[in-house]
Amino acid sequence: MRGSLGSAATFYKNNFFNATTIAANASSGDANTMYGRENFAIFAAGIANKTGYNFEFARGKFIVQPNFLISYTYLNTFDYINAAGVKIDSNPLNALQLAPGIKFIGNTKSGWQPYLAVNMVWNILDESKVTANDTRLPEMSIDPYIEYGVGVQKRWAESYTAYIQAMIHSGGRNGVSLTGGLRWKVGKKK
């Protein structure tokens, strides 16, 4: 069972942009182990802000976009007794993430915008105290890492933008993430 609620807003002024997202999520999880079935509850909430500026070259055919993301996440797995009878106590996680980056964007005549992106990600305040029957479990923080990759987006009808991207993570986090989405602009055109 899961419930989520969130909101996002993006503001533009010439070539400057600022986007803020706020979200909260409550869920119940269950796991099947060799000892039996476990049930636990999780609550998460966060806020993120990304700001940047688009430097245009060749009459807008090429854009260099330095940007900065800062986010805060609160995550609490409520204390529970697992299927083996072990009492799991978990202090809430308070994580702060800083991610400066740069994106190189091309504008084609057909409206497609291919891009390359590079970000450096630092996670600070990302440790929590978890004990099992009063025995402290090892910390699981994430060391700084670099993410880089490619993507493409397309805007149509002045209100919709669809995108897909692939990012490679190296350092404190390794792997590949694939994301995609659709943005719908609401409000009056000025």
Side-chain angles (χ1 to χ4, degrees):
M1 190 164 154
R2 180 180 192 165
S4 297
L5 180 64
S7 179
T10 304
F11 301 97
Y12 298 92
K13 177 72 173 172
N14 299 325
N15 288 354
F16 173 81
F17 71 90
N18 190 78
T20 303
T21 302
I22 299 172
N25 175 304
S27 61
S28 63
D30 58 60
N32 291 312
T33 69
M34 62 187 223
Y35 298 104
R37 187 173 179 169
E38 302 175 4
N39 294 301
F40 48 91
I42 301 170
F43 175 76
I47 184 168
N49 191 80
K50 186 171 186 175
T51 188
Y53 190 86
N54 292 325
F55 292 98
E56 295 184 7
F57 301 94
R59 293 183 221 170
K61 291 181 183 177
F62 183 67
I63 298 171
V64 176
Q65 181 195 90
N67 54 72
F68 181 74
L69 171 73
I70 183 170
S71 66
Y72 167 76
T73 302
Y74 172 86
L75 177 66
N76 188 20
T77 301
F78 295 96
D79 299 344
Y80 68 100
I81 296 176
N82 72 10
V86 176
K87 185 172 193 274
I88 307 295
D89 292 317
S90 175
N91 288 355
L93 170 68
N94 292 283
L96 183 63
Q97 186 179 79
L98 307 172
I102 191 162
K103 191 183 275 189
F104 302 95
I105 306 166
N107 281 314
T108 67
K109 289 181 183 179
S110 62
W112 289 96
Q113 294 179 305
Y115 60 86
L116 301 169
V118 178
N119 303 310
M120 181 67 201
V121 182
W122 284 276
N123 292 288
I124 52 180
L125 301 174
D126 66 339
E127 297 179 359
S128 66
K129 180 182 172 187
V130 179
T131 59
N133 279 350
D134 298 322
T135 301
R136 180 116 185 232
L137 301 178
E139 297 290 339
M140 292 179 45
S141 62
I142 300 173
D143 290 334
Y145 61 93
I146 294 174
E147 60 182 5
Y148 52 94
V150 297
V152 65
Q153 64 184 23
K154 181 168 172 79
R155 189 169 135 193
W156 69 95
E158 294 295 317
S159 296
Y160 302 97
T161 303
Y163 73 95
I164 187 167
Q165 72 177 14
M167 299 293 280
I168 298 169
H169 310 278
S170 298
R173 172 178 278 175
N174 294 306
V176 176
S177 61
L178 301 172
T179 57
L182 174 68
R183 290 190 297 263
W184 174 31
K185 185 168 125 182
V186 294
K188 295 180 182 178
K189 184 178 176 184
K190 293 183 180 183

